Amino acid sequence: MIPRFGAPARKDKHYTLRHGAYALLPRDGKLLITCQMTDIADLQLPGGGIDPGESPIAALHREVFEETGWSICAPRRLGAFRRFVYMPEYDLWAEKMCHIYVARPVRSLGPPQEDNHQALWTTPDAAIDTLGNDGDRYFVKTYFDRLF
């Protein structure tokens, strides 16, 4: 069974299933995350929606580059979770199916391509305290607990 994080589905809303690929990007004891600046700063694992006809791995490479400016290699799937959210940028109620990977950040190719995004290096403990959703925090904690 795929775990759910966050609020349960609301009975008064219709949800569209949206698959996405997201990455834990550890390097030298730090973790590369992204900060999406809207009305508030939202810290997230880099990643996003899988486009129609696109593989999860291709989406992961594309989204990490767009949101951080980094290239990655050797992605390995860790698991998945789902959450029910309103996505104001699409005016959409979504059941997000979040596929989580760990990959090695190889090289910065420039600044993030996505507007209002900033790449940040943080410690795993700080990421667990500040990432914007419970599912991201769970996977970071689980991954780093296994290492130590």
Side-chain angles (χ1 to χ4, degrees), residues 14-22 47-52 54 62-63 81-87 89-99:
H14 170 75
Y15 291 87
T16 300
L17 181 61
R18 298 219 359 138
H19 288 269
Y22 302 87
I50 301 169
D51 290 338
E54 186 177 38
R62 176 181 54 76
E63 287 284 351
F81 70 93
R82 63 190 188 128
R83 60 192 201 118
F84 295 92
V85 298
Y86 178 68
M87 300 176 71
E89 62 273 28
Y90 301 107
D91 189 24
L92 178 73
W93 289 89
E95 177 185 356
K96 292 183 79 173
M97 185 64 63
C98 304
H99 303 271

Side-chain angles (χ1 to χ4, degrees), residues 45-65:
L45 292 179
I50 301 169
D51 290 338
E54 186 177 38
S55 75
I57 297 296
L60 187 70
H61 282 273
R62 176 181 54 76
E63 287 284 351
V64 167
F65 174 71

Side-chain angles (χ1 to χ4, degrees), residues 110-123:
Q113 304 298 300
E114 290 272 337
D115 289 339
N116 303 316
H117 281 72
Q118 179 181 355
L120 301 172
W121 287 100
T122 187
T123 65

